[in-house]
Amino acid sequence: LGLWSAELFLTTLEALQGESESKITACAGIAFTKPSYPFDQGYEIAENLCDSAKQKRRQYLDELSDQSDLNRTKNDLSLLDFHIVQGGIFGDLDQVRSTGYSDESGLLIGRPFAIGKGQEGYHSLQSAATGIGEWPANKIKELREVAYKGNTEIDKFYQHCKKQNLEVPDLLKTRARQVLGNPKELDICEYLDQVPGWLRKQTEAMGTKK
């Protein structure tokens, strides 16, 4: 429930402040580890992830300061980052991502993601996961594998999925500003790994009611 809890906390924090022009914001880092993983190391990873989200928020504020025409009240921005710890030893976050989550074109993930009213990042991730979450498990596994092969292979895979009447997200059409987080295929797969189907449906239903 890590992602769900963090999102709920951040969105509730924003909602409780109404239309205040100087909202309090927060950042979150969620580390998914096995129960046997050393707690102190897991906690340190979560702190690194939170720092990653804070760094992106500072980038956002720097962009605002360079654009005088933007409404300064838009600087209320909360973000979250997450990571699934696969191995027994975890190194520097940037190093882990540069080796295991990148290719010659750059990072294969769009995290951290902005959360809150009018912030597209995390919402785009949830929307993309809604359709893919209905795919057969073997197709999601194929998507995870093809995500490392570049955009051309991803497009071919999506075309194949469309012929099988599977719902395919058009991530290019829903690109948020880079600083808000643009979900990529690995983000979607790992989100589906950590948020159970019943909880995704419940979250979607709550969003519809709003």
Side-chain angles (χ1 to χ4, degrees), residues 31-70:
F32 295 99
T33 67
K34 294 182 178 180
S36 59
Y37 197 83
F39 179 81
D40 59 332
Q41 293 183 32
Y43 190 89
E44 182 179 354
I45 296 168
E47 285 190 322
N48 291 338
L49 291 162
C50 190
D51 288 340
S52 169
K54 290 178 180 178
Q55 182 178 354
K56 180 167 274 194
R57 185 179 187 278
R58 286 192 290 270
Q59 178 188 348
Y60 169 79
L61 293 176
D62 288 342
E63 287 187 4
L64 276 187
S65 65
D66 293 336
Q67 301 179 48
S68 58
D69 58 324
L70 286 178

Side-chain angles (χ1 to χ4, degrees), residues 161-196:
C161 290
K162 287 179 180 178
K163 293 178 180 179
Q164 296 184 334
N165 296 318
L166 296 176
E167 182 179 344
V168 172
D170 192 341
L171 298 180
L172 293 178
K173 286 188 177 179
T174 58
R175 285 298 191 211
R177 283 173 291 167
Q178 186 62 40
V179 73
L180 299 180
N182 291 314
K184 298 182 181 180
E185 281 69 23
L186 285 180
D187 293 308
I188 298 170
C189 291
E190 295 198 345
Y191 174 87
L192 292 173
D193 283 342
Q194 298 303 325
V195 183

Side-chain angles (χ1 to χ4, degrees), residues 82-154:
F82 67 93
H83 185 82
I84 301 173
V85 182
Q86 303 286 2
I89 300 177
F90 188 91
D92 175 76
L93 179 64
D94 290 336
Q95 181 180 3
V96 169
R97 287 182 166 174
S98 65
T99 55
Y101 287 82
S102 66
D103 61 12
E104 63 277 1
S105 65
L107 282 177
L108 300 175
I109 55 175
R111 291 166 248 174
F113 296 113
I115 284 183
K117 186 177 180 180
Q119 310 300 346
E120 308 98 313
Y122 194 73
H123 178 71
S124 295
L125 174 65
Q126 290 176 313
S127 297
T130 297
I132 291 181
E134 300 299 320
W135 288 11
N138 67 310
K139 281 297 177 184
I140 298 177
K141 182 180 179 181
E142 287 183 46
L143 176 62
R144 189 192 303 269
E145 294 171 353
V146 80
Y148 287 93
K149 298 179 180 180
N151 290 332
T152 300
E153 293 302 315
I154 292 173

